[in-house]
Amino acid sequence: MNQKSNVALIVAGGKGSRMGVDMPKQYMQLSGKAILERTYQAFADNENIQFIQIVISKEHQSLYNDLLVKLADKAKLLPVCFGGDTRQESVSLGLEALTKAGPARVLIHDSVRPFVSNELINKVIFALKDSKCAVPALKISDSVKEIEGDKIKRSLLRENMVTVQTPQGFDFEFIYKLHQDYKGENLSDDTALAELMNEKVVIIEGEKENYKITTIDDLEKARSSMSETRTGSGFDVHQFEEGEFITLCGIKIPFNKKLKGHSDADCAWHALTDAILGAIGEGDIGEHFPDSDAKWKNADSGIFLKHASELLKSKGGRIANIDITVICEKPKLKEFKNEMRINTAKLLGIEIERVNIKATTTEKLGFLGREEGLAVQAIVSVKI
Ligand code: CTP
Ligand code: MG
């Protein structure tokens, strides 16, 4: 590093208690990538940032290591360091880790603001040419009141108010020294320290999109703004043999034949499992549940479908709609289609309206026309 270098310090040592879930929010998935990975990438892509220091909690080491494996571009990444009990402590420990390298400027950023733009990063860096501190801020459009318990104490003059964001930029030596001098204050942002010193802070216009993911509502908002639609298709055929019923979508349908197969031969749920796996780039059902494995003999195909659905959820995705087409001459499915639809929606935990079941024939042509077996085609759209 040299005296011209700009470093990003990304603090990711928090527990995410306001999110109210087990997983710390910075490691949660946002459109197929962890939030922290997206935040890291925003700085890695900026040409004026030379190095990136990430601060994590000691308790999250294995989550961080998993993320590290997935990072394609580690060129700017410095060895990780551990944070403390408060955000201020984590920043302070991050700055400490950077002292050896001694960068000229540091941009301190919350790991849970993944939508920071390249332009905003540049604006902060630019402002540091003539100043020791710069902060992005947003004007407030709602009226602002000071409260005490459930009582309003007074109205505040909105024109004089802003909310502040990160990245907050600093002359490195200046902010490092302030953090040393004011250890244990538990301030929620870093310019608060500069204010204590009466140091001039350059105010830059922040960005609405650069919000901090704090609650589950913020995460939902982030997910829906990022989500893209993906499609997967599945196709499955099973041969008939002597029997008394076939199983489709977990429903037993009386017939004078059954479907031959290793598991319960639920052709519809096999095709649907493949369609979901296809939409998320997870191969096919045979890779996940090999029919060479005795464990899956006579297995309930609901297990396969549930597995694909859980994989989708673990990637932050959800099903938009499912369209299943069963192709056979017999049995006639008219009176079972609704039950098949309800059972599929129930297993996946989605609205019935998102599932459609169709039945058709091949006009007596081919192996399906000769009633040698049954085929199912499934198409699924997912939001991820
Ligand atoms: N942070 C940190 N070390 C802490 C506390 C917070 O590095 N001891 C980081 C968080 O990981 C986050 C940023 O500071 O990137 C902003 O904090 P916040 O949104 O409050 O995150 P959490 O503290 O994790 O959430 P909560 O306050 O809901 O527990
Ligand atoms: Mg916090």
PDB file of all heavy atoms in Angstrom, residues 132-165:
ATOM      1  N   LYS A 132     -11.123  15.755   5.714  1.00  0.00           N
ATOM      2  CA  LYS A 132     -10.755  14.527   6.432  1.00  0.00           C
ATOM      3  C   LYS A 132     -11.941  13.574   6.590  1.00  0.00           C
ATOM      4  O   LYS A 132     -11.770  12.424   6.970  1.00  0.00           O
ATOM      5  CB  LYS A 132     -10.219  14.891   7.820  1.00  0.00           C
ATOM      6  CG  LYS A 132      -8.840  15.493   7.752  1.00  0.00           C
ATOM      7  CD  LYS A 132      -8.325  15.763   9.135  1.00  0.00           C
ATOM      8  CE  LYS A 132      -6.912  16.316   9.046  1.00  0.00           C
ATOM      9  NZ  LYS A 132      -6.495  16.913  10.291  1.00  0.00           N
ATOM     10  N   CYS A 133     -13.146  14.085   6.374  1.00  0.00           N
ATOM     11  CA  CYS A 133     -14.337  13.231   6.547  1.00  0.00           C
ATOM     12  C   CYS A 133     -15.395  13.573   5.510  1.00  0.00           C
ATOM     13  O   CYS A 133     -15.604  14.748   5.212  1.00  0.00           O
ATOM     14  CB  CYS A 133     -15.037  13.420   7.879  1.00  0.00           C
ATOM     15  SG  CYS A 133     -14.023  13.889   9.217  1.00  0.00           S
ATOM     16  N   ALA A 134     -16.078  12.523   5.047  1.00  0.00           N
ATOM     17  CA  ALA A 134     -17.203  12.734   4.134  1.00  0.00           C
ATOM     18  C   ALA A 134     -18.285  11.716   4.451  1.00  0.00           C
ATOM     19  O   ALA A 134     -17.983  10.551   4.725  1.00  0.00           O
ATOM     20  CB  ALA A 134     -16.723  12.567   2.699  1.00  0.00           C
ATOM     21  N   VAL A 135     -19.534  12.171   4.393  1.00  0.00           N
ATOM     22  CA  VAL A 135     -20.632  11.275   4.738  1.00  0.00           C
ATOM     23  C   VAL A 135     -21.796  11.428   3.757  1.00  0.00           C
ATOM     24  O   VAL A 135     -22.192  12.555   3.445  1.00  0.00           O
ATOM     25  CB  VAL A 135     -21.105  11.522   6.200  1.00  0.00           C
ATOM     26  CG1 VAL A 135     -21.628  12.927   6.397  1.00  0.00           C
ATOM     27  CG2 VAL A 135     -22.169  10.521   6.622  1.00  0.00           C
ATOM     28  N   PRO A 136     -22.335  10.316   3.255  1.00  0.00           N
ATOM     29  CA  PRO A 136     -23.541  10.427   2.430  1.00  0.00           C
ATOM     30  C   PRO A 136     -24.766  10.605   3.325  1.00  0.00           C
ATOM     31  O   PRO A 136     -24.901   9.892   4.325  1.00  0.00           O
ATOM     32  CB  PRO A 136     -23.610   9.080   1.693  1.00  0.00           C
ATOM     33  CG  PRO A 136     -22.487   8.251   2.188  1.00  0.00           C
ATOM     34  CD  PRO A 136     -21.853   8.935   3.357  1.00  0.00           C
ATOM     35  N   ALA A 137     -25.613  11.555   2.954  1.00  0.00           N
ATOM     36  CA  ALA A 137     -26.793  11.820   3.786  1.00  0.00           C
ATOM     37  C   ALA A 137     -28.021  12.006   2.905  1.00  0.00           C
ATOM     38  O   ALA A 137     -27.911  12.417   1.746  1.00  0.00           O
ATOM     39  CB  ALA A 137     -26.548  13.074   4.612  1.00  0.00           C
ATOM     40  N   LEU A 138     -29.174  11.714   3.473  1.00  0.00           N
ATOM     41  CA  LEU A 138     -30.440  11.873   2.747  1.00  0.00           C
ATOM     42  C   LEU A 138     -31.333  12.844   3.491  1.00  0.00           C
ATOM     43  O   LEU A 138     -31.440  12.777   4.724  1.00  0.00           O
ATOM     44  CB  LEU A 138     -31.163  10.527   2.656  1.00  0.00           C
ATOM     45  CG  LEU A 138     -30.701   9.517   1.622  1.00  0.00           C
ATOM     46  CD1 LEU A 138     -31.538   8.256   1.740  1.00  0.00           C
ATOM     47  CD2 LEU A 138     -30.803  10.084   0.214  1.00  0.00           C
ATOM     48  N   LYS A 139     -31.986  13.703   2.718  1.00  0.00           N
ATOM     49  CA  LYS A 139     -32.963  14.612   3.333  1.00  0.00           C
ATOM     50  C   LYS A 139     -34.164  13.777   3.766  1.00  0.00           C
ATOM     51  O   LYS A 139     -34.410  12.690   3.243  1.00  0.00           O
ATOM     52  CB  LYS A 139     -33.407  15.650   2.304  1.00  0.00           C
ATOM     53  CG  LYS A 139     -32.285  16.615   1.961  1.00  0.00           C
ATOM     54  CD  LYS A 139     -32.868  17.915   1.410  1.00  0.00           C
ATOM     55  CE  LYS A 139     -31.790  18.948   1.293  1.00  0.00           C
ATOM     56  NZ  LYS A 139     -31.388  19.213  -0.079  1.00  0.00           N
ATOM     57  N   ILE A 140     -34.923  14.331   4.704  1.00  0.00           N
ATOM     58  CA  ILE A 140     -36.088  13.590   5.217  1.00  0.00           C
ATOM     59  C   ILE A 140     -37.347  14.179   4.609  1.00  0.00           C
ATOM     60  O   ILE A 140     -37.510  15.405   4.576  1.00  0.00           O
ATOM     61  CB  ILE A 140     -36.131  13.692   6.763  1.00  0.00           C
ATOM     62  CG1 ILE A 140     -34.843  13.093   7.342  1.00  0.00           C
ATOM     63  CG2 ILE A 140     -37.364  13.007   7.329  1.00  0.00           C
ATOM     64  CD1 ILE A 140     -34.707  13.253   8.841  1.00  0.00           C
ATOM     65  N   SER A 141     -38.238  13.311   4.116  1.00  0.00           N
ATOM     66  CA  SER A 141     -39.457  13.866   3.522  1.00  0.00           C
ATOM     67  C   SER A 141     -40.638  13.836   4.504  1.00  0.00           C
ATOM     68  O   SER A 141     -41.572  14.610   4.372  1.00  0.00           O
ATOM     69  CB  SER A 141     -39.804  13.141   2.226  1.00  0.00           C
ATOM     70  OG  SER A 141     -39.755  11.767   2.430  1.00  0.00           O
ATOM     71  N   ASP A 142     -40.604  12.941   5.492  1.00  0.00           N
ATOM     72  CA  ASP A 142     -41.683  12.918   6.491  1.00  0.00           C
ATOM     73  C   ASP A 142     -41.406  13.963   7.570  1.00  0.00           C
ATOM     74  O   ASP A 142     -40.271  14.394   7.744  1.00  0.00           O
ATOM     75  CB  ASP A 142     -41.751  11.533   7.156  1.00  0.00           C
ATOM     76  CG  ASP A 142     -42.176  10.461   6.188  1.00  0.00           C
ATOM     77  OD1 ASP A 142     -43.003  10.759   5.303  1.00  0.00           O
ATOM     78  OD2 ASP A 142     -41.683   9.325   6.300  1.00  0.00           O
ATOM     79  N   SER A 143     -42.455  14.309   8.296  1.00  0.00           N
ATOM     80  CA  SER A 143     -42.253  15.190   9.448  1.00  0.00           C
ATOM     81  C   SER A 143     -41.526  14.420  10.537  1.00  0.00           C
ATOM     82  O   SER A 143     -41.677  13.198  10.641  1.00  0.00           O
ATOM     83  CB  SER A 143     -43.591  15.677   9.997  1.00  0.00           C
ATOM     84  OG  SER A 143     -44.220  16.462   9.017  1.00  0.00           O
ATOM     85  N   VAL A 144     -40.743  15.145  11.341  1.00  0.00           N
ATOM     86  CA  VAL A 144     -39.938  14.467  12.359  1.00  0.00           C
ATOM     87  C   VAL A 144     -40.335  14.950  13.752  1.00  0.00           C
ATOM     88  O   VAL A 144     -40.464  16.160  13.982  1.00  0.00           O
ATOM     89  CB  VAL A 144     -38.431  14.742  12.144  1.00  0.00           C
ATOM     90  CG1 VAL A 144     -37.590  13.836  13.038  1.00  0.00           C
ATOM     91  CG2 VAL A 144     -38.052  14.531  10.691  1.00  0.00           C
ATOM     92  N   LYS A 145     -40.527  14.016  14.670  1.00  0.00           N
ATOM     93  CA  LYS A 145     -40.885  14.362  16.057  1.00  0.00           C
ATOM     94  C   LYS A 145     -39.902  13.687  17.013  1.00  0.00           C
ATOM     95  O   LYS A 145     -39.440  12.574  16.748  1.00  0.00           O
ATOM     96  CB  LYS A 145     -42.286  13.832  16.402  1.00  0.00           C
ATOM     97  CG  LYS A 145     -43.345  14.102  15.353  1.00  0.00           C
ATOM     98  CD  LYS A 145     -44.167  15.303  15.700  1.00  0.00           C
ATOM     99  CE  LYS A 145     -45.219  15.536  14.630  1.00  0.00           C
ATOM    100  NZ  LYS A 145     -45.710  16.901  14.609  1.00  0.00           N
ATOM    101  N   GLU A 146     -39.689  14.365  18.106  1.00  0.00           N
ATOM    102  CA  GLU A 146     -38.925  13.717  19.178  1.00  0.00           C
ATOM    103  C   GLU A 146     -39.937  13.125  20.159  1.00  0.00           C
ATOM    104  O   GLU A 146     -40.923  13.781  20.508  1.00  0.00           O
ATOM    105  CB  GLU A 146     -38.059  14.760  19.884  1.00  0.00           C
ATOM    106  CG  GLU A 146     -37.096  14.129  20.867  1.00  0.00           C
ATOM    107  CD  GLU A 146     -36.235  15.174  21.574  1.00  0.00           C
ATOM    108  OE1 GLU A 146     -36.056  16.285  21.047  1.00  0.00           O
ATOM    109  OE2 GLU A 146     -35.774  14.865  22.684  1.00  0.00           O
ATOM    110  N   ILE A 147     -39.730  11.881  20.549  1.00  0.00           N
ATOM    111  CA  ILE A 147     -40.695  11.256  21.465  1.00  0.00           C
ATOM    112  C   ILE A 147     -40.029  10.869  22.782  1.00  0.00           C
ATOM    113  O   ILE A 147     -38.804  10.743  22.867  1.00  0.00           O
ATOM    114  CB  ILE A 147     -41.354   9.998  20.829  1.00  0.00           C
ATOM    115  CG1 ILE A 147     -40.293   8.967  20.410  1.00  0.00           C
ATOM    116  CG2 ILE A 147     -42.247  10.352  19.671  1.00  0.00           C
ATOM    117  CD1 ILE A 147     -40.849   7.605  20.105  1.00  0.00           C
ATOM    118  N   GLU A 148     -40.886  10.666  23.765  1.00  0.00           N
ATOM    119  CA  GLU A 148     -40.406  10.151  25.045  1.00  0.00           C
ATOM    120  C   GLU A 148     -41.407   9.084  25.440  1.00  0.00           C
ATOM    121  O   GLU A 148     -42.580   9.398  25.702  1.00  0.00           O
ATOM    122  CB  GLU A 148     -40.381  11.288  26.076  1.00  0.00           C
ATOM    123  CG  GLU A 148     -39.380  11.050  27.193  1.00  0.00           C
ATOM    124  CD  GLU A 148     -39.225  12.324  28.028  1.00  0.00           C
ATOM    125  OE1 GLU A 148     -40.231  12.748  28.609  1.00  0.00           O
ATOM    126  OE2 GLU A 148     -38.118  12.871  28.069  1.00  0.00           O
ATOM    127  N   GLY A 149     -40.991   7.814  25.432  1.00  0.00           N
ATOM    128  CA  GLY A 149     -41.952   6.728  25.639  1.00  0.00           C
ATOM    129  C   GLY A 149     -42.967   6.770  24.519  1.00  0.00           C
ATOM    130  O   GLY A 149     -42.599   6.802  23.347  1.00  0.00           O
ATOM    131  N   ASP A 150     -44.289   6.817  24.853  1.00  0.00           N
ATOM    132  CA  ASP A 150     -45.299   6.886  23.794  1.00  0.00           C
ATOM    133  C   ASP A 150     -45.821   8.317  23.607  1.00  0.00           C
ATOM    134  O   ASP A 150     -46.835   8.552  22.981  1.00  0.00           O
ATOM    135  CB  ASP A 150     -46.445   5.907  24.087  1.00  0.00           C
ATOM    136  CG  ASP A 150     -47.071   6.161  25.451  1.00  0.00           C
ATOM    137  OD1 ASP A 150     -46.605   7.089  26.146  1.00  0.00           O
ATOM    138  OD2 ASP A 150     -48.007   5.428  25.808  1.00  0.00           O
ATOM    139  N   LYS A 151     -45.105   9.286  24.176  1.00  0.00           N
ATOM    140  CA  LYS A 151     -45.556  10.692  24.068  1.00  0.00           C
ATOM    141  C   LYS A 151     -44.660  11.483  23.119  1.00  0.00           C
ATOM    142  O   LYS A 151     -43.445  11.301  23.097  1.00  0.00           O
ATOM    143  CB  LYS A 151     -45.516  11.353  25.449  1.00  0.00           C
ATOM    144  CG  LYS A 151     -46.628  10.890  26.348  1.00  0.00           C
ATOM    145  CD  LYS A 151     -46.991  12.006  27.346  1.00  0.00           C
ATOM    146  CE  LYS A 151     -48.151  11.594  28.200  1.00  0.00           C
ATOM    147  NZ  LYS A 151     -47.807  10.504  29.128  1.00  0.00           N
ATOM    148  N   ILE A 152     -45.300  12.375  22.369  1.00  0.00           N
ATOM    149  CA  ILE A 152     -44.502  13.259  21.518  1.00  0.00           C
ATOM    150  C   ILE A 152     -44.010  14.425  22.361  1.00  0.00           C
ATOM    151  O   ILE A 152     -44.799  15.088  23.033  1.00  0.00           O
ATOM    152  CB  ILE A 152     -45.327  13.768  20.322  1.00  0.00           C
ATOM    153  CG1 ILE A 152     -45.602  12.579  19.371  1.00  0.00           C
ATOM    154  CG2 ILE A 152     -44.593  14.878  19.577  1.00  0.00           C
ATOM    155  CD1 ILE A 152     -46.457  12.909  18.190  1.00  0.00           C
ATOM    156  N   LYS A 153     -42.704  14.630  22.319  1.00  0.00           N
ATOM    157  CA  LYS A 153     -42.129  15.710  23.113  1.00  0.00           C
ATOM    158  C   LYS A 153     -42.172  17.024  22.344  1.00  0.00           C
ATOM    159  O   LYS A 153     -42.584  18.049  22.860  1.00  0.00           O
ATOM    160  CB  LYS A 153     -40.669  15.354  23.435  1.00  0.00           C
ATOM    161  CG  LYS A 153     -40.283  15.594  24.869  1.00  0.00           C
ATOM    162  CD  LYS A 153     -38.922  15.000  25.132  1.00  0.00           C
ATOM    163  CE  LYS A 153     -38.080  15.950  25.950  1.00  0.00           C
ATOM    164  NZ  LYS A 153     -36.716  15.504  26.063  1.00  0.00           N
ATOM    165  N   ARG A 154     -41.739  16.936  21.074  1.00  0.00           N
ATOM    166  CA  ARG A 154     -41.786  18.164  20.248  1.00  0.00           C
ATOM    167  C   ARG A 154     -41.577  17.807  18.772  1.00  0.00           C
ATOM    168  O   ARG A 154     -41.090  16.720  18.440  1.00  0.00           O
ATOM    169  CB  ARG A 154     -40.722  19.159  20.699  1.00  0.00           C
ATOM    170  CG  ARG A 154     -39.333  18.615  20.579  1.00  0.00           C
ATOM    171  CD  ARG A 154     -38.303  19.606  21.092  1.00  0.00           C
ATOM    172  NE  ARG A 154     -37.023  18.930  21.137  1.00  0.00           N
ATOM    173  CZ  ARG A 154     -35.885  19.464  20.744  1.00  0.00           C
ATOM    174  NH1 ARG A 154     -35.854  20.675  20.263  1.00  0.00           N
ATOM    175  NH2 ARG A 154     -34.758  18.793  20.819  1.00  0.00           N
ATOM    176  N   SER A 155     -41.936  18.792  17.936  1.00  0.00           N
ATOM    177  CA  SER A 155     -41.695  18.644  16.498  1.00  0.00           C
ATOM    178  C   SER A 155     -40.332  19.231  16.183  1.00  0.00           C
ATOM    179  O   SER A 155     -39.953  20.256  16.749  1.00  0.00           O
ATOM    180  CB  SER A 155     -42.748  19.399  15.704  1.00  0.00           C
ATOM    181  OG  SER A 155     -43.986  18.804  15.924  1.00  0.00           O
ATOM    182  N   LEU A 156     -39.628  18.559  15.270  1.00  0.00           N
ATOM    183  CA  LEU A 156     -38.302  19.055  14.898  1.00  0.00           C
ATOM    184  C   LEU A 156     -38.372  19.666  13.497  1.00  0.00           C
ATOM    185  O   LEU A 156     -39.238  19.290  12.693  1.00  0.00           O
ATOM    186  CB  LEU A 156     -37.283  17.912  14.929  1.00  0.00           C
ATOM    187  CG  LEU A 156     -37.125  17.245  16.300  1.00  0.00           C
ATOM    188  CD1 LEU A 156     -36.272  15.999  16.195  1.00  0.00           C
ATOM    189  CD2 LEU A 156     -36.491  18.220  17.296  1.00  0.00           C
ATOM    190  N   LEU A 157     -37.463  20.555  13.244  1.00  0.00           N
ATOM    191  CA  LEU A 157     -37.467  21.221  11.945  1.00  0.00           C
ATOM    192  C   LEU A 157     -36.834  20.294  10.898  1.00  0.00           C
ATOM    193  O   LEU A 157     -35.616  20.087  10.891  1.00  0.00           O
ATOM    194  CB  LEU A 157     -36.668  22.532  12.073  1.00  0.00           C
ATOM    195  CG  LEU A 157     -37.028  23.608  11.055  1.00  0.00           C
ATOM    196  CD1 LEU A 157     -38.515  23.936  11.117  1.00  0.00           C
ATOM    197  CD2 LEU A 157     -36.183  24.849  11.327  1.00  0.00           C
ATOM    198  N   ARG A 158     -37.710  19.729  10.054  1.00  0.00           N
ATOM    199  CA  ARG A 158     -37.262  18.741   9.074  1.00  0.00           C
ATOM    200  C   ARG A 158     -36.128  19.263   8.197  1.00  0.00           C
ATOM    201  O   ARG A 158     -35.215  18.525   7.831  1.00  0.00           O
ATOM    202  CB  ARG A 158     -38.471  18.371   8.221  1.00  0.00           C
ATOM    203  CG  ARG A 158     -38.201  17.308   7.210  1.00  0.00           C
ATOM    204  CD  ARG A 158     -39.451  16.911   6.495  1.00  0.00           C
ATOM    205  NE  ARG A 158     -40.106  18.039   5.857  1.00  0.00           N
ATOM    206  CZ  ARG A 158     -41.392  18.091   5.574  1.00  0.00           C
ATOM    207  NH1 ARG A 158     -42.171  17.095   5.911  1.00  0.00           N
ATOM    208  NH2 ARG A 158     -41.920  19.121   4.976  1.00  0.00           N
ATOM    209  N   GLU A 159     -36.205  20.534   7.857  1.00  0.00           N
ATOM    210  CA  GLU A 159     -35.193  21.137   6.958  1.00  0.00           C
ATOM    211  C   GLU A 159     -33.787  21.001   7.526  1.00  0.00           C
ATOM    212  O   GLU A 159     -32.808  21.034   6.804  1.00  0.00           O
ATOM    213  CB  GLU A 159     -35.504  22.619   6.702  1.00  0.00           C
ATOM    214  CG  GLU A 159     -36.693  22.857   5.786  1.00  0.00           C
ATOM    215  CD  GLU A 159     -38.020  22.470   6.416  1.00  0.00           C
ATOM    216  OE1 GLU A 159     -38.124  22.481   7.663  1.00  0.00           O
ATOM    217  OE2 GLU A 159     -38.941  22.105   5.667  1.00  0.00           O
ATOM    218  N   ASN A 160     -33.695  20.879   8.846  1.00  0.00           N
ATOM    219  CA  ASN A 160     -32.367  20.780   9.470  1.00  0.00           C
ATOM    220  C   ASN A 160     -31.925  19.336   9.702  1.00  0.00           C
ATOM    221  O   ASN A 160     -30.911  19.103  10.352  1.00  0.00           O
ATOM    222  CB  ASN A 160     -32.363  21.481  10.836  1.00  0.00           C
ATOM    223  CG  ASN A 160     -32.551  22.960  10.697  1.00  0.00           C
ATOM    224  OD1 ASN A 160     -32.371  23.491   9.606  1.00  0.00           O
ATOM    225  ND2 ASN A 160     -32.927  23.620  11.784  1.00  0.00           N
ATOM    226  N   MET A 161     -32.722  18.387   9.217  1.00  0.00           N
ATOM    227  CA  MET A 161     -32.444  16.980   9.544  1.00  0.00           C
ATOM    228  C   MET A 161     -32.003  16.191   8.310  1.00  0.00           C
ATOM    229  O   MET A 161     -32.527  16.409   7.225  1.00  0.00           O
ATOM    230  CB  MET A 161     -33.715  16.286  10.057  1.00  0.00           C
ATOM    231  CG  MET A 161     -34.338  16.922  11.243  1.00  0.00           C
ATOM    232  SD  MET A 161     -33.516  16.307  12.703  1.00  0.00           S
ATOM    233  CE  MET A 161     -33.839  17.650  13.806  1.00  0.00           C
ATOM    234  N   VAL A 162     -31.110  15.264   8.524  1.00  0.00           N
ATOM    235  CA  VAL A 162     -30.769  14.288   7.477  1.00  0.00           C
ATOM    236  C   VAL A 162     -30.587  12.927   8.140  1.00  0.00           C
ATOM    237  O   VAL A 162     -30.369  12.856   9.355  1.00  0.00           O
ATOM    238  CB  VAL A 162     -29.451  14.643   6.725  1.00  0.00           C
ATOM    239  CG1 VAL A 162     -29.612  15.845   5.824  1.00  0.00           C
ATOM    240  CG2 VAL A 162     -28.292  14.803   7.690  1.00  0.00           C
ATOM    241  N   THR A 163     -30.686  11.881   7.342  1.00  0.00           N
ATOM    242  CA  THR A 163     -30.269  10.566   7.837  1.00  0.00           C
ATOM    243  C   THR A 163     -28.956  10.251   7.130  1.00  0.00           C
ATOM    244  O   THR A 163     -28.769  10.642   5.976  1.00  0.00           O
ATOM    245  CB  THR A 163     -31.307   9.472   7.506  1.00  0.00           C
ATOM    246  OG1 THR A 163     -31.485   9.429   6.091  1.00  0.00           O
ATOM    247  CG2 THR A 163     -32.630   9.757   8.184  1.00  0.00           C
ATOM    248  N   VAL A 164     -28.049   9.572   7.834  1.00  0.00           N
ATOM    249  CA  VAL A 164     -26.744   9.323   7.201  1.00  0.00           C
ATOM    250  C   VAL A 164     -26.554   7.846   6.877  1.00  0.00           C
ATOM    251  O   VAL A 164     -27.142   6.977   7.503  1.00  0.00           O
ATOM    252  CB  VAL A 164     -25.557   9.835   8.055  1.00  0.00           C
ATOM    253  CG1 VAL A 164     -25.631  11.330   8.229  1.00  0.00           C
ATOM    254  CG2 VAL A 164     -25.481   9.117   9.379  1.00  0.00           C
ATOM    255  N   GLN A 165     -25.740   7.628   5.866  1.00  0.00           N
ATOM    256  CA  GLN A 165     -25.479   6.270   5.381  1.00  0.00           C
ATOM    257  C   GLN A 165     -23.986   5.969   5.480  1.00  0.00           C
ATOM    258  O   GLN A 165     -23.213   6.784   5.969  1.00  0.00           O
ATOM    259  CB  GLN A 165     -25.893   6.184   3.903  1.00  0.00           C
ATOM    260  CG  GLN A 165     -27.310   6.634   3.595  1.00  0.00           C
ATOM    261  CD  GLN A 165     -27.654   6.442   2.130  1.00  0.00           C
ATOM    262  OE1 GLN A 165     -26.828   6.655   1.251  1.00  0.00           O
ATOM    263  NE2 GLN A 165     -28.887   6.042   1.868  1.00  0.00           N
TER     264      GLN A 165
END
